Amino acid sequence: MSAYTALSRAGYYAYVRDKTTLFFTFAFPLLFLVVFGLIFSGKSVQQSGKPYIDYIAPGVLSWGVANAAVFGVGFVLMQWRRDDLLRLIRMTPAPLTSVLGSRYVLALAIGVVQSALFVGIALLPFFGLTLASTWPLALAVLVLGVTAFLMVGVIVGSFARTPEAVAAVANCLMIPMAFLSGSFFPLDAMPAWMQSLAHALPLYYFNDGVSAALTGSGSGTDILVDCGVLAVFAVVFGAIALKTFRWSDKS
């Protein structure tokens, strides 16, 4: 517990002192909201008749939270391993669960703050998002989404050896997934084959669950299904992350 507390405290101070990371974590997704809000202001999706904001706000929110989880842990593990910090931590009584657990709690906290800030701005009259009564269920989806994508970040951070490699691999995963999962463009307006492909991607269920909870586009059963699929992805990615985790580039 003392190792977990020390690592959590160190991770928090390192994060808040990095102004560049803070800016891009919280401001970058908001830029997408502003851009899409300007483009699709007052417009509805022809296929469903729903306002674009009902698709774009939950989708960009989910992508922003997932992106922060992947990049946050991926860069940290790569840097700690490259600087031999992980090897030194391994020589202490701190287990792997403390290392990953400290990053997990930080990722959850960041995701909650991101979500609150994002939804607060999306509720402004200019954007026009209206919350459904089921919005608290988004918290469960958020926790499972962060868990799944944190494990993706652990896998990326275990293989990549440079910051450029982390950025390249993470972007190759997250940017195409955002378009294919409906984060930036409503799936209802996409070809049928693309809608089918989306169901194989974890971000789709993250988007769908958050959207169902925030806008009422789905029932409680739909949210439960999304949570269940995200939990399966989290377990699978977690098993791969633990199997591939490396304390040092030499091992």
Side-chain angles (χ1 to χ4, degrees):
M1 182 60 69
S2 60
Y4 165 79
T5 302
L7 287 168
S8 298
R9 187 182 297 115
Y12 167 76
Y13 285 124
Y15 188 83
V16 298
R17 289 169 182 169
D18 189 343
K19 305 304 180 185
T20 302
T21 299
L22 278 174
F23 174 81
F24 280 100
T25 297
F26 295 103
F28 194 52
L30 290 175
L31 291 176
F32 280 92
L33 177 64
V34 172
V35 170
F36 286 120
L38 290 171
I39 295 174
F40 299 115
S41 179
K43 297 180 180 180
S44 299
V45 178
Q46 183 177 1
Q47 286 77 2
S48 65
K50 296 180 180 179
Y52 269 98
I53 190 67
D54 284 3
Y55 293 90
I56 299 303
V60 176
L61 167 60
S62 302
W63 173 77
V65 171
N67 213 44
V70 172
F71 275 87
V73 72
F75 273 116
V76 167
L77 290 181
M78 179 279 301
Q79 290 171 343
W80 284 8
R81 193 176 66 252
R82 185 183 61 178
D83 297 339
D84 270 347
L85 289 178
L86 281 179
R87 185 176 60 84
L88 294 176
I89 292 173
R90 191 181 188 184
M91 296 169 66
T92 71
L96 177 59
T97 52
S98 293
V99 176
L100 297 183
S102 64
R103 305 308 307 180
Y104 178 59
V105 169
L106 182 60
L108 279 179
I110 292 170
V112 170
V113 175
Q114 278 183 300
S115 301
L117 179 63
F118 194 95
V119 171
I121 293 177
L123 288 172
L124 294 176
F126 173 77
F127 297 106
L129 178 67
T130 301
L131 289 182
S133 60
T134 54
W135 71 264
L137 296 177
L139 293 175
V141 184
L142 179 69
V143 170
L144 289 168
V146 169
T147 305
F149 283 97
L150 184 90
M151 292 300 103
V152 174
V154 173
I155 297 170
V156 173
S158 295
F159 282 101
R161 296 194 175 193
T162 64
E164 293 80 9
V166 173
V169 175
N171 279 320
C172 282
L173 291 173
M174 297 306 298
I175 293 179
M177 196 186 303
F179 284 98
L180 293 173
S181 300
S183 291
F184 298 155
F185 196 77
L187 277 177
D188 288 350
M190 293 183 179
W193 68 268
M194 191 172 292
Q195 295 183 37
S196 300
L197 177 61
H199 286 76
L201 304 173
L203 189 56
Y204 166 81
Y205 299 95
F206 199 3
N207 291 342
D208 192 63
V210 170
S211 179
L214 293 184
T215 69
S217 62
S219 64
T221 301
D222 295 327
I223 297 173
L224 185 61
V225 170
D226 290 324
C227 286
V229 177
L230 283 173
V232 171
F233 273 115
V235 170
V236 172
F237 292 150
I240 297 173
L242 293 176
K243 183 70 174 179
T244 58
F245 183 84
R246 293 185 300 153
W247 292 93
S248 171
D249 281 332
K250 300 177 182 177
S251 60

